[in-house]
Amino acid sequence: MTKARVEAFSDGVIAIAITLLVLDIHVPEPGSAASLAHELAKQWPSYAAYVVSFLTIGIIWINHTAMLRRLNTVDHSIMFLNLLLLMSIAVLPFTTALMAAYLKASGGENLAAAIYGGSLLVMGLAFFTMNRHLLQARVGLLRDHLTPELRRAVLRRNAAGLVPYALATLCAIVSPYLTLAICGAVAVFYALPATTGDTPPEAPLD
Amino acid sequence: MTKARVEAFSDGVIAIAITLLVLDIHVPEPGSAASLAHELAKQWPSYAAYVVSFLTIGIIWINHTAMLRRLNTVDHSIMFLNLLLLMSIAVLPFTTALMAAYLKASGGENLAAAIYGGSLLVMGLAFFTMNRHLLQARVGLLRDHLTPELRRAVLRRNAAGLVPYALATLCAIVSPYLTLAICGAVAVFYALPATTGDTPPEAPLD
Amino acid sequence: MTKARVEAFSDGVIAIAITLLVLDIHVPEPGSAASLAHELAKQWPSYAAYVVSFLTIGIIWINHTAMLRRLNTVDHSIMFLNLLLLMSIAVLPFTTALMAAYLKASGGENLAAAIYGGSLLVMGLAFFTMNRHLLQARVGLLRDHLTPELRRAVLRRNAAGLVPYALATLCAIVSPYLTLAICGAVAVFYALPATTGDTPPEAPLD
Amino acid sequence: MTKARVEAFSDGVIAIAITLLVLDIHVPEPGSAASLAHELAKQWPSYAAYVVSFLTIGIIWINHTAMLRRLNTVDHSIMFLNLLLLMSIAVLPFTTALMAAYLKASGGENLAAAIYGGSLLVMGLAFFTMNRHLLQARVGLLRDHLTPELRRAVLRRNAAGLVPYALATLCAIVSPYLTLAICGAVAVFYALPATTGDTPPEAPLD
């Protein structure tokens, strides 16, 4: 079934993007003057950016399973919107590395943070666009009947999730630390049991 | 079922190739004389090549799902032709990086563009070869009865898709920008809803 | 089914992490003064760390299949704990590279070993936390009825598996070689047929 | 089902190993004195090693599907032997890069070729070991009844496939080119329709 391949391909791209993040954490050169502890401590922005991006991609993956769970089947338009969503996810190892490299820099740090926040915002927008397409233009492909009210509620919650990323992008003017902190807070918030969207957190899925 | 493993392995290779593309977008070294904005702007060929290759690989994946959807099962010849197709896709992160590195160079830029266009042409040829094998030599493995006319029409459309890549490769003599622009236009064209091949774009798949 | 996607995504992340390990084994520069044999022999810590980490990740994957096999379905809490487990696995290419780079160093070698042992301990703790959640807080999602005694026995065996990693981390103060040796011994121990957990080693699974 | 996860995990590891091969084909630095054509031509060993390893890994994957197709289910011993097989495959991007880097070198080229041939031999041995285990010690898990004669015939053919890799490894003393040529010839030989093992090449699989 084509829907199964869309899921498998998406799982593949998202799994690779989330795992490639580790390639940006570098092993300090042995034999440098500074101690290893000092060298490792110095690159804390890499760890912070790693954790925030890992959790964020993980949560978008969880949301992706929920979005596709509602579908019986897919069509070409859905496959293409999904491809755009995957592109917005696949680019995150770059924006994460940029954020990590410039967080403590004096010069470029605001731009790097704006690009990082902006890349998460674009990912959120790609998700919202696909979700809205499914819930408004492809109602006939949904597995269960969802009332218009319920569908609007799902989209409203989805749209509300874009606000903190927009805020994080704007706050890059003030401080790159603030951008990273907001993105991290969003990840923690969505990880909390009570905030997972349209199924109660303890409900078995499927 | 073996067909399911062919799909899973193909999804894996294509997902990895499409996600590895991001490794060629480099983070500028902090503390350089030029501003980060300037450094990031300078590497726009990397972004352009990234988007074109991502969409192109994504579309070949969509077409791959359509090609395998027609099959009930696979045999060894199909698995081997599929392996050659995957090799032509897996090499694209290299040709994309080559294109990006030489687009603005004075020296080598025409060759790099010809190799890029040529690599997409080879991928298209590998796809066409496999598709023709399925539709002409392995009719017994098809899921549904397709009339010879319909099968020829599918292959004609498939062959027509090779023309722009041949053109893009030839145009590398004139300008590498032209090569990239043609390849990008092909990706956008196939993304448009009305041009997806043998199913109407709004038809549910499967 | 969502459980199938959790398995597919986990398979993806673990497969990528285990395969990325090879990127840390470097090809010596041709034309150096020393012979290739000498250069290759010199980097034996990379091979040792590679084998230990490959087997360890492989065994955690085998255990992951056993853990999810007990489930009928998943909920959000399980998906999130699984995400944390995957993060603890995805970080291992970094800690493995760190271990390999510093094993023979004079300076930083104890810290590197402690981080390596510690990263395996954290992975074990993430696994135990998820397993305990399934067996104590999500009994209703289990496929088969397991008596409380049996569930406690599974968790006790699981917890016992954490002890050698705690020991390996502590032993980093004494010698990084000892840390690696303990971790390697654990991998070999779990590979032995008689020690695989709650199914007899020759029992067909499923 | 656990067998499905073994297939998915194996597909993942093999797909990643086969796709990572491309990371060893380097883009020449723009602006060097030599022309791009010259620079690209110079690194032909990378292309040759890439093609040979890609086809070899692809064929081992095809053989892996055939091996697991015979099974109804798996047990722990099979999962562990499969893990060793995957380790022998995952290491090939390193031995391929070594072969490519030293093929034309004067110094180290014989050792590099011996390691390359040896790594393919080890992979073949790991495959044979697992196959023999399935066909001799786990007959009860096979899907179809296979007569002892048929099972011995499969293993004999499998063992015969090890001979050229042993030869390629030995020939490294004579010439690294010979090693690569033999390995390439094996790949082409197995790709030919008439030589695929225990099913006629045109038989639908499953």
Side-chain angles (χ1 to χ4, degrees):
Chain A
M1 216 182 73
T2 302
K3 188 192 154 190
R5 282 200 72 184
V6 171
E7 292 178 335
F9 185 68
S10 305
D11 287 345
V13 170
I14 301 174
I16 298 154
I18 211 172
T19 316
L20 284 184
L21 290 172
V22 81
L23 296 185
D24 192 53
I25 306 184
H26 299 293
V27 173
E29 203 64 41
S32 77
S35 74
L36 176 60
H38 181 76
E39 292 285 334
L40 287 174
K42 223 174 58 183
Q43 60 186 21
W44 70 264
S46 289
Y47 315 138
Y50 176 81
V51 170
V52 172
S53 288
F54 195 99
L55 291 179
T56 304
I57 297 178
I59 286 161
I60 204 88
W61 175 78
I62 293 179
N63 290 338
H64 191 267
T65 66
M67 178 165 64
L68 287 199
R69 201 160 48 231
R70 292 195 201 98
L71 284 178
N72 258 327
T73 182
V74 297
D75 65 6
H76 179 264
S77 66
I78 295 171
M79 290 174 94
F80 189 71
L81 288 176
N82 191 55
L83 188 61
L84 291 183
L85 172 59
L86 293 179
M87 186 158 66
S88 74
I89 296 170
V91 93
L92 294 181
F94 164 69
T95 61
T96 304
L98 189 71
M99 179 84 203
Y102 282 85
L103 185 64
K104 296 190 301 182
S106 55
E109 70 277 24
N110 302 98
L111 179 58
I115 291 171
Y116 180 68
S119 69
L120 296 185
L121 180 61
V122 165
M123 181 189 72
L125 282 168
F127 189 92
F128 176 75
T129 304
M130 180 172 170
N131 213 4
R132 195 181 53 184
H133 180 71
L134 299 182
L135 291 172
Q136 294 188 341
R138 291 295 180 271
V139 177
L141 304 185
L142 297 180
R143 206 171 58 162
D144 298 313
H145 177 72
L146 297 173
T147 62
E149 289 72 37
L150 190 52
R151 288 185 274 128
R152 272 196 297 272
V154 169
L155 288 178
R156 257 199 313 273
R157 248 195 327 263
N158 192 162
L162 299 175
V163 175
Y165 289 133
L167 196 69
T169 308
L170 282 173
C171 287
I173 307 168
V174 182
S175 155
Y177 296 98
L178 193 55
T179 300
L180 190 59
I182 294 172
C183 297
V186 173
V188 169
F189 174 78
Y190 277 105
L192 293 180
T195 53
T196 34
D198 50 358
T199 39
E202 302 208 2
L205 304 171
D206 288 5
Chain B
M1 216 181 74
T2 303
K3 189 192 155 191
R5 282 200 71 183
V6 171
E7 293 178 336
F9 185 68
S10 305
D11 287 345
V13 170
I14 301 174
I16 298 154
I18 211 172
T19 316
L20 284 185
L21 290 171
V22 80
L23 296 185
D24 192 53
I25 306 184
H26 300 293
V27 173
E29 201 64 41
S32 77
S35 74
L36 175 60
H38 181 77
E39 292 286 335
L40 287 174
K42 224 174 58 184
Q43 61 186 20
W44 70 264
S46 289
Y47 315 137
Y50 176 81
V51 171
V52 172
S53 289
F54 195 100
L55 291 179
T56 304
I57 297 178
I59 287 161
I60 204 87
W61 175 79
I62 293 178
N63 289 337
H64 191 268
T65 64
M67 178 164 65
L68 287 198
R69 200 159 49 229
R70 293 196 200 97
L71 284 177
N72 256 327
T73 182
V74 297
D75 65 5
H76 179 262
S77 65
I78 295 172
M79 289 173 96
F80 189 70
L81 288 176
N82 191 56
L83 188 61
L84 291 183
L85 172 59
L86 294 179
M87 185 158 66
S88 74
I89 296 170
V91 94
L92 294 181
F94 165 67
T95 62
T96 303
L98 189 71
M99 179 84 203
Y102 282 85
L103 185 63
K104 297 191 301 181
S106 53
E109 70 277 24
N110 303 96
L111 179 58
I115 291 171
Y116 181 69
S119 69
L120 296 186
L121 181 61
V122 165
M123 180 190 71
L125 282 168
F127 189 92
F128 177 74
T129 305
M130 181 171 170
N131 212 4
R132 195 182 54 183
H133 181 71
L134 299 182
L135 291 173
Q136 294 189 342
R138 291 295 181 271
V139 177
L141 304 185
L142 298 179
R143 206 172 57 161
D144 299 313
H145 177 72
L146 297 174
T147 63
E149 289 73 37
L150 189 53
R151 288 186 274 127
R152 272 196 297 271
V154 169
L155 287 177
R156 257 199 313 274
R157 249 196 327 263
N158 192 161
L162 298 175
V163 175
Y165 289 133
L167 197 70
T169 308
L170 282 173
C171 287
I173 308 168
V174 183
S175 156
Y177 295 98
L178 194 53
T179 299
L180 190 59
I182 294 172
C183 296
V186 173
V188 170
F189 174 79
Y190 277 104
L192 294 179
T195 53
T196 35
D198 51 357
T199 39
E202 302 207 2
L205 303 171
D206 288 5
Chain C
M1 216 182 76
T2 303
K3 188 192 156 193
R5 283 200 72 183
V6 171
E7 293 179 334
F9 185 68
S10 305
D11 287 346
V13 170
I14 301 174
I16 298 154
I18 210 172
T19 316
L20 284 184
L21 290 171
V22 81
L23 296 185
D24 193 53
I25 306 184
H26 298 294
V27 173
E29 202 63 41
S32 76
S35 74
L36 176 60
H38 181 76
E39 292 286 334
L40 286 174
K42 224 174 57 183
Q43 61 186 21
W44 70 263
S46 289
Y47 315 138
Y50 176 81
V51 171
V52 172
S53 288
F54 195 101
L55 291 179
T56 303
I57 296 178
I59 287 161
I60 204 87
W61 176 79
I62 293 178
N63 289 338
H64 191 268
T65 66
M67 177 164 65
L68 286 199
R69 202 160 46 232
R70 294 196 200 97
L71 284 179
N72 257 327
T73 183
V74 296
D75 65 6
H76 179 264
S77 66
I78 295 172
M79 291 174 95
F80 189 70
L81 288 176
N82 191 55
L83 187 62
L84 292 183
L85 172 58
L86 294 179
M87 184 157 68
S88 74
I89 296 171
V91 93
L92 294 181
F94 165 67
T95 62
T96 303
L98 189 71
M99 179 84 204
Y102 282 85
L103 185 63
K104 296 191 302 182
S106 55
E109 70 276 23
N110 302 97
L111 178 58
I115 291 170
Y116 181 69
S119 69
L120 297 185
L121 180 60
V122 165
M123 181 190 71
L125 282 168
F127 189 92
F128 177 75
T129 305
M130 180 171 170
N131 212 4
R132 195 181 53 183
H133 181 71
L134 299 182
L135 291 171
Q136 292 188 342
R138 292 295 181 271
V139 178
L141 304 184
L142 298 179
R143 206 172 57 162
D144 299 313
H145 177 73
L146 297 174
T147 63
E149 289 73 38
L150 189 52
R151 288 185 274 128
R152 272 195 297 270
V154 169
L155 288 178
R156 258 198 313 273
R157 252 198 323 265
N158 193 162
L162 298 176
V163 175
Y165 289 133
L167 197 68
T169 308
L170 282 173
C171 287
I173 307 167
V174 183
S175 156
Y177 296 98
L178 194 54
T179 300
L180 190 59
I182 295 172
C183 296
V186 172
V188 169
F189 175 79
Y190 277 104
L192 293 179
T195 52
T196 35
D198 51 355
T199 40
E202 303 207 2
L205 303 171
D206 287 6
Chain D
M1 215 182 76
T2 302
K3 189 192 154 192
R5 282 200 72 183
V6 171
E7 293 179 334
F9 185 68
S10 306
D11 287 345
V13 170
I14 301 174
I16 298 154
I18 210 172
T19 315
L20 284 185
L21 290 171
V22 81
L23 296 186
D24 192 53
I25 306 184
H26 299 293
V27 173
E29 202 63 41
S32 76
S35 74
L36 176 60
H38 181 76
E39 292 285 334
L40 287 174
K42 224 174 58 184
Q43 61 186 21
W44 69 264
S46 289
Y47 315 138
Y50 176 81
V51 171
V52 172
S53 289
F54 195 100
L55 290 179
T56 304
I57 296 178
I59 287 160
I60 204 87
W61 175 78
I62 292 178
N63 289 337
H64 192 267
T65 66
M67 179 164 64
L68 287 199
R69 200 160 48 230
R70 294 196 200 96
L71 284 178
N72 257 326
T73 183
V74 296
D75 65 6
H76 179 263
S77 66
I78 295 172
M79 289 174 95
F80 189 71
L81 288 176
N82 191 56
L83 187 61
L84 291 183
L85 172 58
L86 293 179
M87 184 157 68
S88 74
I89 296 170
V91 94
L92 294 181
F94 165 68
T95 63
T96 302
L98 189 71
M99 178 86 205
Y102 282 85
L103 185 63
K104 296 191 302 183
S106 54
E109 70 276 24
N110 302 98
L111 179 58
I115 290 171
Y116 181 69
S119 69
L120 296 186
L121 181 60
V122 165
M123 180 190 71
L125 282 168
F127 189 92
F128 177 75
T129 304
M130 181 171 170
N131 212 4
R132 195 181 54 183
H133 181 71
L134 299 183
L135 291 172
Q136 293 188 342
R138 290 296 181 271
V139 178
L141 304 184
L142 298 179
R143 207 172 57 160
D144 299 314
H145 177 73
L146 297 174
T147 64
E149 290 74 36
L150 189 53
R151 287 186 275 128
R152 274 196 296 272
V154 169
L155 288 178
R156 259 200 312 275
R157 250 198 324 265
N158 192 162
L162 298 176
V163 175
Y165 290 133
L167 197 69
T169 308
L170 282 173
C171 286
I173 307 166
V174 183
S175 156
Y177 296 98
L178 195 53
T179 299
L180 190 59
I182 294 172
C183 296
V186 172
V188 170
F189 174 79
Y190 277 104
L192 293 179
T195 52
T196 33
D198 52 353
T199 39
E202 302 207 3
L205 303 171
D206 287 7

